[in-house]
Amino acid sequence: MKHIFVIVIAVVFCSVSTVHAQDPETEPETREATAVEEERQRRGVRRLGDVVGEGGDEWSMDIPSIDMPAQPVEPQPEVNLPNPEQDARLQALLTRRAFTPNDPEVQEGLEELMSDVEADARAAIGAGNLQLAQQLVSVIAEFTPERGVIADVRAEVTRRNTVSQTLAEADAALAAGRLLAPPGQSASDLYEQVLALDAGNEAALAGLDNTQQAVIEEAVELARELDFEGAESMLLRAEDLHDAPERFQQARAEIAQFRADYIVDMDRQVVRAIDEGNYDDAESGITQLVALGHERARIEALQVSLTDARVYGGFEPGQVFSESLEGQNRQGPEMVVIPAGSFMMGSPDNEGDRFSNEGPRHRVTFERGFALSRTEISVADFAAFIEDTGYRTDAERAGHSRVYDIRSGRMDRQNRINWRHDYVGERADSNLPVIHVSWNDAQAYVGWLSERTGRSYRLPSEAEFEYALRAGSQTRFWWGDDSPRSVVENLTGDGDTSPTNARWNVAFRRYNDGHWGPAPVGSFEANPFGLYDMAGNVMEWTEDCWHDSFVRAPADGSAWVNPGCDRRVIKGGSWSSTPAMSRSAFRLSSVPESTDMRVGFRVARDL
């Protein structure tokens, strides 16, 4: 340090020499300024002499002798500041104070320096650097212990420790599942305490978020245990923890969906219990559905079904039955119970010979079974209806229908043709499927059948017909993807010949069923559901209105009906259908009053 002062004095000496060498003719103002500068330099030299305190022959400056102690008067604290510039100032001041403890300039310098350090300490607190703040106030406490920043840092340390400890307790409570209780010790309360000490604490906010999510999960679990009131109460409590409206909307939607799905599943279980004859289970399920707020109309329908099943007895899938016709000395058509289930309706995009109106392919689910007549309605079946009611068919009122001309091979209109005639206009045998009947005529027949049996008969929906036609298959035909290997239906085969030895131009290869026109009902093999003539013999009316696609089609198998529709769906192949028209997905339509030698119908019944 002594050598440093020598250099400074030398610089000052040179400066003084330079001042004395100024031109004597310098302006008065310049001379006055020069005199002031010389006086400042002399004081600087004197102060430096105070520190050096020795003088020497090497100096020829006129420096007054100062009475300085040879050794430091008192020891100084060994403290350091992290800022190099501030630390240099501090060490210089401490060195001077060691020799002149009561120097007011030194004390003033320390006060000024400690003010700078205090500002740095407060900045460190604001930046969250508590370690630096503590280091700085430890120096401040040595020189100005009365400064408020010392207490502030200690308070911040206490606060930080409390925040850290409370946060750890909150995390432990969350891990232990103490989400909302006990008061003051729950995860939610502890995280709130942290936020009261440290607003915006990210760990506490995340903890509250996790707590809220855990509460929501518990609420959803309560809902799955069918405690929907408890679930809603818990959600209301969780809403106060954290502002996340979308999360609660999602939770309530999930609970609502679960409730709706549970109701649907319970509804299915009740139907299954009725079908299987488990009537007590069905009654218990209905009671639960009432408690869950199921639709009143549906509850009433289930109760009617249960009562009907207990009185009438349950059916089994595949069971065949028929019912007496009141006032008639005969039975109604034989019915087959079709099992409940689901299937993909329509054709896939890559199916050969596919038409665009067969899509989009979609899943249809039947929650309960239904019954279909084993065969098409025969001439004898329809005759009983006519004899009992005197009903006049559309063909009779119109005075004509279409028949097949054997000589020309054409299908033309012919007068005085009705349900009593066959496909060429001859008198029909009683065991042939009734043809030349319209959709209106079929509706009249099922209405009469319902009245005479006291049961709900109707035309099948398009979905029911295709489901029963496929009988568990998803191939082009119910027997496979190509020509049958055995005689299964009355189809257009390349071995078929007309009465005039004509053959089909487009037909199933290597197939001959022995019939050119319609065959007696039930003449061939039944499909896996026990139904005859579903893909051949005659096409059949269904209940549905015609739609160009299955967009928005019902998924429950019910008929798709629109008020005032002017066309109805026809399903199944006929004795003259090409292979493409015999596919399970094929569909076409006609107006309700039309009649033809290729179209008949069969009936369905609710169970």
PDB file of all heavy atoms in Angstrom, residues 233-244:
ATOM      1  N   SER A 233     -71.826 -32.852  -3.693  1.00  0.00           N
ATOM      2  CA  SER A 233     -71.405 -32.097  -2.512  1.00  0.00           C
ATOM      3  C   SER A 233     -69.896 -31.934  -2.480  1.00  0.00           C
ATOM      4  O   SER A 233     -69.378 -30.848  -2.183  1.00  0.00           O
ATOM      5  CB  SER A 233     -71.884 -32.809  -1.249  1.00  0.00           C
ATOM      6  OG  SER A 233     -71.408 -32.146  -0.094  1.00  0.00           O
ATOM      7  N   MET A 234     -69.172 -32.987  -2.810  1.00  0.00           N
ATOM      8  CA  MET A 234     -67.713 -32.915  -2.813  1.00  0.00           C
ATOM      9  C   MET A 234     -67.215 -31.991  -3.918  1.00  0.00           C
ATOM     10  O   MET A 234     -66.239 -31.249  -3.734  1.00  0.00           O
ATOM     11  CB  MET A 234     -67.136 -34.314  -2.968  1.00  0.00           C
ATOM     12  CG  MET A 234     -65.625 -34.380  -2.848  1.00  0.00           C
ATOM     13  SD  MET A 234     -65.011 -36.053  -2.584  1.00  0.00           S
ATOM     14  CE  MET A 234     -65.432 -36.271  -0.850  1.00  0.00           C
ATOM     15  N   LEU A 235     -67.866 -31.999  -5.062  1.00  0.00           N
ATOM     16  CA  LEU A 235     -67.469 -31.094  -6.144  1.00  0.00           C
ATOM     17  C   LEU A 235     -67.664 -29.639  -5.742  1.00  0.00           C
ATOM     18  O   LEU A 235     -66.838 -28.779  -6.068  1.00  0.00           O
ATOM     19  CB  LEU A 235     -68.276 -31.408  -7.406  1.00  0.00           C
ATOM     20  CG  LEU A 235     -67.901 -32.677  -8.176  1.00  0.00           C
ATOM     21  CD1 LEU A 235     -68.829 -32.859  -9.365  1.00  0.00           C
ATOM     22  CD2 LEU A 235     -66.451 -32.621  -8.641  1.00  0.00           C
ATOM     23  N   LEU A 236     -68.744 -29.353  -5.032  1.00  0.00           N
ATOM     24  CA  LEU A 236     -68.989 -27.986  -4.584  1.00  0.00           C
ATOM     25  C   LEU A 236     -67.888 -27.524  -3.628  1.00  0.00           C
ATOM     26  O   LEU A 236     -67.446 -26.371  -3.686  1.00  0.00           O
ATOM     27  CB  LEU A 236     -70.356 -27.887  -3.909  1.00  0.00           C
ATOM     28  CG  LEU A 236     -71.574 -28.020  -4.847  1.00  0.00           C
ATOM     29  CD1 LEU A 236     -72.859 -28.076  -4.035  1.00  0.00           C
ATOM     30  CD2 LEU A 236     -71.617 -26.861  -5.834  1.00  0.00           C
ATOM     31  N   ARG A 237     -67.418 -28.419  -2.757  1.00  0.00           N
ATOM     32  CA  ARG A 237     -66.334 -28.064  -1.838  1.00  0.00           C
ATOM     33  C   ARG A 237     -65.030 -27.873  -2.593  1.00  0.00           C
ATOM     34  O   ARG A 237     -64.234 -26.990  -2.274  1.00  0.00           O
ATOM     35  CB  ARG A 237     -66.182 -29.155  -0.777  1.00  0.00           C
ATOM     36  CG  ARG A 237     -67.385 -29.279   0.156  1.00  0.00           C
ATOM     37  CD  ARG A 237     -67.186 -30.418   1.148  1.00  0.00           C
ATOM     38  NE  ARG A 237     -66.104 -30.136   2.065  1.00  0.00           N
ATOM     39  CZ  ARG A 237     -65.640 -31.010   2.957  1.00  0.00           C
ATOM     40  NH1 ARG A 237     -66.191 -32.222   3.033  1.00  0.00           N
ATOM     41  NH2 ARG A 237     -64.655 -30.693   3.769  1.00  0.00           N
ATOM     42  N   ALA A 238     -64.814 -28.695  -3.597  1.00  0.00           N
ATOM     43  CA  ALA A 238     -63.567 -28.617  -4.367  1.00  0.00           C
ATOM     44  C   ALA A 238     -63.501 -27.343  -5.210  1.00  0.00           C
ATOM     45  O   ALA A 238     -62.406 -26.855  -5.507  1.00  0.00           O
ATOM     46  CB  ALA A 238     -63.426 -29.844  -5.254  1.00  0.00           C
ATOM     47  N   GLU A 239     -64.637 -26.810  -5.592  1.00  0.00           N
ATOM     48  CA  GLU A 239     -64.647 -25.598  -6.428  1.00  0.00           C
ATOM     49  C   GLU A 239     -64.019 -24.408  -5.719  1.00  0.00           C
ATOM     50  O   GLU A 239     -63.521 -23.488  -6.366  1.00  0.00           O
ATOM     51  CB  GLU A 239     -66.079 -25.272  -6.840  1.00  0.00           C
ATOM     52  CG  GLU A 239     -66.578 -26.108  -8.000  1.00  0.00           C
ATOM     53  CD  GLU A 239     -67.972 -25.716  -8.422  1.00  0.00           C
ATOM     54  OE1 GLU A 239     -68.838 -25.587  -7.527  1.00  0.00           O
ATOM     55  OE2 GLU A 239     -68.200 -25.556  -9.623  1.00  0.00           O
ATOM     56  N   ASP A 240     -64.051 -24.417  -4.365  1.00  0.00           N
ATOM     57  CA  ASP A 240     -63.488 -23.304  -3.609  1.00  0.00           C
ATOM     58  C   ASP A 240     -61.966 -23.361  -3.532  1.00  0.00           C
ATOM     59  O   ASP A 240     -61.336 -22.392  -3.098  1.00  0.00           O
ATOM     60  CB  ASP A 240     -64.059 -23.290  -2.184  1.00  0.00           C
ATOM     61  CG  ASP A 240     -65.560 -23.031  -2.173  1.00  0.00           C
ATOM     62  OD1 ASP A 240     -66.041 -22.347  -3.104  1.00  0.00           O
ATOM     63  OD2 ASP A 240     -66.239 -23.518  -1.256  1.00  0.00           O
ATOM     64  N   LEU A 241     -61.366 -24.463  -3.907  1.00  0.00           N
ATOM     65  CA  LEU A 241     -59.926 -24.625  -3.748  1.00  0.00           C
ATOM     66  C   LEU A 241     -59.131 -23.931  -4.836  1.00  0.00           C
ATOM     67  O   LEU A 241     -58.052 -23.397  -4.592  1.00  0.00           O
ATOM     68  CB  LEU A 241     -59.560 -26.120  -3.742  1.00  0.00           C
ATOM     69  CG  LEU A 241     -60.178 -26.978  -2.632  1.00  0.00           C
ATOM     70  CD1 LEU A 241     -59.696 -28.405  -2.775  1.00  0.00           C
ATOM     71  CD2 LEU A 241     -59.824 -26.407  -1.266  1.00  0.00           C
ATOM     72  N   HIS A 242     -59.633 -23.987  -6.040  1.00  0.00           N
ATOM     73  CA  HIS A 242     -58.833 -23.541  -7.184  1.00  0.00           C
ATOM     74  C   HIS A 242     -59.779 -23.166  -8.315  1.00  0.00           C
ATOM     75  O   HIS A 242     -60.796 -23.818  -8.502  1.00  0.00           O
ATOM     76  CB  HIS A 242     -57.912 -24.691  -7.609  1.00  0.00           C
ATOM     77  CG  HIS A 242     -56.823 -24.279  -8.550  1.00  0.00           C
ATOM     78  ND1 HIS A 242     -55.898 -23.316  -8.247  1.00  0.00           N
ATOM     79  CD2 HIS A 242     -56.508 -24.722  -9.792  1.00  0.00           C
ATOM     80  CE1 HIS A 242     -55.057 -23.191  -9.267  1.00  0.00           C
ATOM     81  NE2 HIS A 242     -55.411 -24.030 -10.217  1.00  0.00           N
ATOM     82  N   ASP A 243     -59.436 -22.138  -9.035  1.00  0.00           N
ATOM     83  CA  ASP A 243     -60.297 -21.672 -10.113  1.00  0.00           C
ATOM     84  C   ASP A 243     -59.999 -22.467 -11.382  1.00  0.00           C
ATOM     85  O   ASP A 243     -59.031 -22.199 -12.089  1.00  0.00           O
ATOM     86  CB  ASP A 243     -60.072 -20.173 -10.355  1.00  0.00           C
ATOM     87  CG  ASP A 243     -61.050 -19.623 -11.387  1.00  0.00           C
ATOM     88  OD1 ASP A 243     -62.077 -20.288 -11.620  1.00  0.00           O
ATOM     89  OD2 ASP A 243     -60.789 -18.543 -11.939  1.00  0.00           O
ATOM     90  N   ALA A 244     -60.823 -23.495 -11.624  1.00  0.00           N
ATOM     91  CA  ALA A 244     -60.647 -24.334 -12.825  1.00  0.00           C
ATOM     92  C   ALA A 244     -62.018 -24.790 -13.301  1.00  0.00           C
ATOM     93  O   ALA A 244     -62.378 -25.959 -13.199  1.00  0.00           O
ATOM     94  CB  ALA A 244     -59.760 -25.534 -12.509  1.00  0.00           C
TER      95      ALA A 244
END
